[in-house]
Amino acid sequence: MKKNTRNTKAKAEILKFINSSTRAVSHLDIQKSLGEFCDRVTIYRVLERLTEEKSIHRIVNVDGVINYASCSSCAAHHTHNHVHFSCINCKELSCLENNEITLTLPEGYQFKEAFLTVSGVCKECVDRSLV
Amino acid sequence: MKKNTRNTKAKAEILKFINSSTRAVSHLDIQKSLGEFCDRVTIYRVLERLTEEKSIHRIVNVDGVINYASCSSCAAHHTHNHVHFSCINCKELSCLENNEITLTLPEGYQFKEAFLTVSGVCKECVDRSLV
DNA sequence: ACAATATCGCAACAATGTTGCATTAAATGA
DNA sequence: TCATTTAATGCAACATTGTTGCGATATTGT
Ligand SMILES: [Zn+2]
Ligand SMILES: [Zn+2]
Ligand SMILES: [Zn+2]
Ligand SMILES: [Zn+2]
């Protein structure tokens, strides 16, 4: 028996925030944005549900902080093996599309998923520092 | 004026543990291994120092847990851009040598470092499950 | 509308990481 | 060797982040 999920205000609001953001957001980002809208714990649980439903995907940043991003752009390739970019200046974490990677594992290893994050300076920050 | 670091028992013991391990280890792994040898806080501070001194390097696992591994094998290429492997079964996290990756960033972006971790099943676990 | 139950809020807890400060112990040179 | 300097430690207290249990609430299929 499958358990059916419900469309609640918290879920809608959180998904809207994630979808409207150009970068991946953390639990803390969401909490700050929503304010007193809902409880801290609810955010954790909604994020878990949204991830299970594949409405969003989780990205572990280079510092270990878990972030979430919309899956709208991923819908096409159906995988989350694409590259993520983490700006060391503004801390932006975003998805880089059209960046496939190929690699070979040692003999006997089974591949499941690739997590690739590149750190550096994003275009905005580069432009700002040149001005 | 540079601040000189000292060779203490805690530092020696922690580095020995990391170097003698075939996989990357977490703060918790070290704590369990050392027992009452030194304080929890000391481990945090030693890991920070060892990382600064580039005796070890940090690897963020796919679940966000920070691990540490020896840099002995990295000494040759002087970068930590190599691929890491995370076993979904035994949780092993290790460095994969001889696995260079090339990728292109969008126009205007500056590259600094690449963090690539592949999840899957390690050889040991594959063999075990086939028996 | 109503019953079933997924979800929520709250409180309490657990895990992980940080900070301040008095004490200890490396490293250095006399 | 011994005294001096100060990096490093231990401990306590705190901060942050994530989890769990449970009674109350709200969504959804009928
Ligand atoms: Zn930036
Ligand atoms: Zn992505
Ligand atoms: Zn394994
Ligand atoms: Zn490595």
Side-chain angles (χ1 to χ4, degrees):
Chain A
M1 59 190 80
K2 68 190 169 200
K3 135 175 166 180
N4 19 345
T5 120
R6 296 175 180 180
N7 294 317
T8 66
K9 289 175 185 171
K11 182 179 166 183
E13 200 68 18
I14 292 171
L15 184 56
K16 193 176 77 177
F17 176 66
I18 295 175
N19 282 339
S20 65
S21 178
T22 58
R23 62 179 65 180
V25 297
S26 66
H27 175 274
L28 189 59
D29 292 330
I30 298 171
Q31 201 179 323
K32 283 177 181 169
S33 165
L34 297 198
E36 299 294 309
F37 185 83
C38 70
D39 195 74
R40 223 164 53 83
V41 180
T42 298
I43 301 178
Y44 281 114
R45 298 199 260 228
V46 166
L47 287 174
E48 195 181 348
R49 245 185 303 151
L50 286 174
T51 305
E52 279 174 5
E53 297 173 9
K54 299 193 189 303
S55 298
I56 60 178
H57 65 291
R58 22 165 75 212
I59 314 166
V60 177
N61 206 169
V62 296
D63 55 3
V65 175
I66 295 175
N67 282 255
Y68 298 88
S70 165
C71 274
S72 55
S73 57
C74 313
H77 21 91
H78 243 277
T79 74
H80 293 147
N81 288 354
H82 54 276
V83 181
H84 293 120
F85 183 84
S86 177
C87 179
I88 56 179
N89 185 47
C90 69
K91 308 300 175 191
E92 170 188 57
L93 178 63
S94 52
C95 303
L96 294 183
E97 302 303 327
N98 308 319
N99 228 327
E100 298 286 316
I101 36 153
T102 49
L103 53 94
T104 48
L105 289 181
E107 194 64 31
Y109 279 62
Q110 271 179 13
F111 176 92
K112 185 198 168 202
E113 208 171 348
F115 299 85
L116 175 55
T117 303
V118 174
S119 77
V121 188
C122 76
K123 184 172 163 50
E124 278 188 36
C125 287
V126 168
D127 290 347
R128 223 191 323 270
S129 64
L130 287 178
V131 174
Chain B
M1 57 189 82
K2 67 189 168 201
K3 134 173 164 182
N4 21 345
T5 114
R6 295 175 182 179
N7 293 317
T8 67
K9 289 174 185 172
K11 181 178 166 185
E13 200 68 18
I14 292 171
L15 184 57
K16 192 176 79 178
F17 176 66
I18 296 175
N19 282 340
S20 65
S21 179
T22 59
R23 60 180 66 179
V25 296
S26 66
H27 175 274
L28 189 59
D29 293 329
I30 298 171
Q31 201 180 321
K32 284 176 181 169
S33 165
L34 296 198
E36 300 293 311
F37 184 83
C38 70
D39 196 74
R40 223 164 53 83
V41 180
T42 298
I43 300 178
Y44 281 114
R45 297 198 260 227
V46 166
L47 287 173
E48 195 181 348
R49 245 184 303 150
L50 286 174
T51 305
E52 279 174 4
E53 297 173 8
K54 298 193 190 304
S55 298
I56 60 178
H57 66 291
R58 22 164 76 212
I59 313 165
V60 177
N61 206 169
V62 295
D63 56 3
V65 175
I66 294 176
N67 282 255
Y68 298 87
S70 164
C71 273
S72 56
S73 56
C74 312
H77 20 91
H78 243 278
T79 74
H80 293 145
N81 288 355
H82 54 276
V83 180
H84 293 120
F85 183 83
S86 177
C87 179
I88 58 179
N89 185 48
C90 69
K91 309 300 175 192
E92 171 189 54
L93 179 61
S94 52
C95 303
L96 295 184
E97 302 303 328
N98 308 320
N99 227 326
E100 297 286 314
I101 36 152
T102 47
L103 53 95
T104 47
L105 288 181
E107 193 64 32
Y109 280 62
Q110 271 178 13
F111 176 92
K112 186 198 168 202
E113 206 170 350
F115 298 85
L116 174 55
T117 302
V118 175
S119 76
V121 187
C122 76
K123 182 171 165 52
E124 276 187 38
C125 288
V126 168
D127 290 346
R128 224 190 323 267
S129 64
L130 288 180
V131 174

